[in-house]
């Protein structure tokens, strides 16, 4: 990994993590900063205490573990311009900051205002920040509802769309239908698949084992919280009849 490359570059054998690599880089750079000079650090890192989004890729290790680096590594810098995390934010001090990404890369960023950071630094190294907000050409949105309602009420758009369908039954190629309105629709799921049901452990079965239909009904109620519907009951009864007649 890059830790081994860093060991070779800096001639140090105890570099074992991203934090060690950045510490070695900062230490080497600091030696070249003239006395009294203003010092700006630009780093691509996951700094402890920062708030991530769902779409950021891991830098190689578990979030919150050795992957993250401490803000204390940047001690002495007048401003630290950080990259990697998509949300604009300060980390531990008002001169250590992620400017954020200019575009949203995940649907959880739909409520994050995108901007650019203009930094003014005076002769002493003190900084002031001005956020310049802007609106990307394509927004990131999540639409939730029945497919028929979304198609009837929707307005054609090139926005990036995540669709969450509340239909009980699975539909035939719903994404193709949605892309008729939203050509950049990129994710689709069913709300029922995102809902978890508490499965209660029971010691006994109350349905009569001699009545398979009742056993099936109790099982469905047990695992998904709802008894079989009329269409499901018709399919189950027909299948049980075929089984009874020896057709299956």
């Amino acid at each position: 990994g890059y830790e081994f490359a860093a060991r070779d570059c800096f001639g140090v054998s105890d570099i074992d993590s991203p934090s060690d690599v950045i510490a070695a880089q900062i230490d080497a750079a600091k030696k070249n900063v003239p006395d009294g000079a203003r010092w700006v650090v630009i780093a691509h890192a996951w700094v402890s205490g920062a708030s991530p989004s769902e779409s950021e890729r891991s830098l190689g290790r578990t979030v919150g573990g050795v992957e993250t680096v401490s803000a204390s590594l940047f001690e002495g810098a007048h401003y630290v311009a950080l990259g990697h995390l998509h949300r604009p934010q300060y980390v531990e001090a008002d001169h250590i900051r992620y400017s954020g990404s200019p575009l949203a890369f995940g649907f959880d960023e739909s409520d994050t205002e995108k901007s650019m950071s203009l930094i003014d630094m005076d002769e002493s190294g003190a900084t002031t920040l001005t956020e310049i907000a802007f609106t990307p050409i394509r927004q990131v949105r999540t639409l939730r509802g029945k497919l028929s309602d979304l198609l009837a009420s929707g307005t054609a758009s090139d926005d990036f769309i995540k669709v969450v369908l509340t239909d009980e039954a699975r539909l035939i190629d719903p994404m193709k239908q949605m892309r008729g309105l939203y050509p950049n629709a990129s994710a689709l799921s069913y709300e029922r698949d995102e809902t978890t049901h508490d499965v209660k452990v029971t010691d006994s079965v109350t349905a009569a084992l001699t009545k398979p239909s009742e056993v099936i009904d109790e099982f469905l109620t047990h695992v998904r919280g709802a008894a079989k519907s009329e269409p499901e009951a018709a399919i189950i009864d027909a299948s049980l009849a075929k089984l009874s007649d020896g057709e299956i």
Side-chain angles (χ1 to χ4, degrees):
Y2 55 84
E3 291 94 344
F4 296 101
R7 291 177 189 177
D8 182 62
C9 176
F10 295 106
V12 180
S13 61
D14 58 352
I15 294 178
D16 298 310
S17 69
S19 181
D20 293 338
V21 174
I22 292 179
Q25 292 172 323
I26 294 293
D27 185 60
K30 190 179 297 185
K31 295 175 182 177
N32 294 305
V33 177
D35 291 340
R38 294 174 295 177
W39 184 30
V40 175
V41 174
I42 301 174
H44 185 269
W46 197 316
V47 180
S48 301
S51 176
S53 302
E54 65 181 12
S55 59
E56 283 115 6
R57 290 185 178 182
S58 167
L59 292 177
R61 293 181 174 81
T62 305
V63 177
V66 294
E67 174 182 32
T68 58
V69 302
S70 171
S72 64
L73 291 179
F74 306 111
E75 183 178 356
H78 292 92
Y79 187 79
V80 181
L82 295 171
H84 183 58
L85 302 187
H86 299 167
R87 299 182 185 280
Q89 57 191 295
Y90 295 99
V91 187
E92 293 195 15
D94 59 8
H95 69 288
I96 304 175
R97 178 177 171 81
Y98 286 95
S99 63
S101 62
L103 299 174
F105 292 93
F107 288 99
D108 67 329
E109 297 178 46
S110 59
D111 60 347
T112 301
E113 185 178 70
K114 296 302 180 180
S115 62
M116 299 179 69
S117 299
L118 176 63
I119 309 299
D120 289 308
M121 179 179 292
D122 65 18
E123 63 278 4
S124 69
T127 59
T128 57
L129 178 142
T130 303
E131 281 194 350
I132 304 173
F134 58 85
T135 303
I137 295 174
R138 297 181 182 87
Q139 299 299 302
V140 172
R141 295 189 284 143
T142 297
L143 301 180
R144 184 182 302 270
K146 290 186 176 181
L147 178 63
S148 58
D149 294 337
L150 295 178
L151 292 174
S153 61
T155 302
S157 170
D158 286 334
D159 288 349
F160 295 105
I161 302 294
K162 175 182 178 180
V163 182
V164 180
L165 296 179
T166 58
D167 298 85
E168 288 296 325
R170 291 191 175 276
L171 306 174
I172 298 175
D173 205 356
M175 180 61 93
K176 181 178 181 180
Q177 297 182 65
M178 289 300 298
R179 283 179 174 160
L181 276 177
Y182 308 107
N184 291 321
S186 53
L188 185 143
S189 62
Y190 288 84
E191 186 177 61
R192 68 176 189 176
D193 295 337
E194 298 178 355
T195 304
T196 58
H197 299 286
D198 293 329
V199 178
K200 298 179 181 179
V201 178
T202 58
D203 296 326
S204 61
V205 176
T206 60
L209 296 180
T210 55
K211 297 181 178 180
S213 181
E214 291 184 4
V215 174
I216 293 172
D217 195 42
E218 182 173 289
F219 174 77
L220 291 174
T221 302
H222 176 72
V223 298
R224 75 180 187 187
K228 60 181 181 288
S229 63
E230 290 186 8
E232 289 173 335
I235 294 172
I236 292 170
D237 291 343
S239 298
L240 290 174
K242 289 182 179 181
L243 183 64
S244 178
D245 294 339
E247 296 179 25
I248 299 179

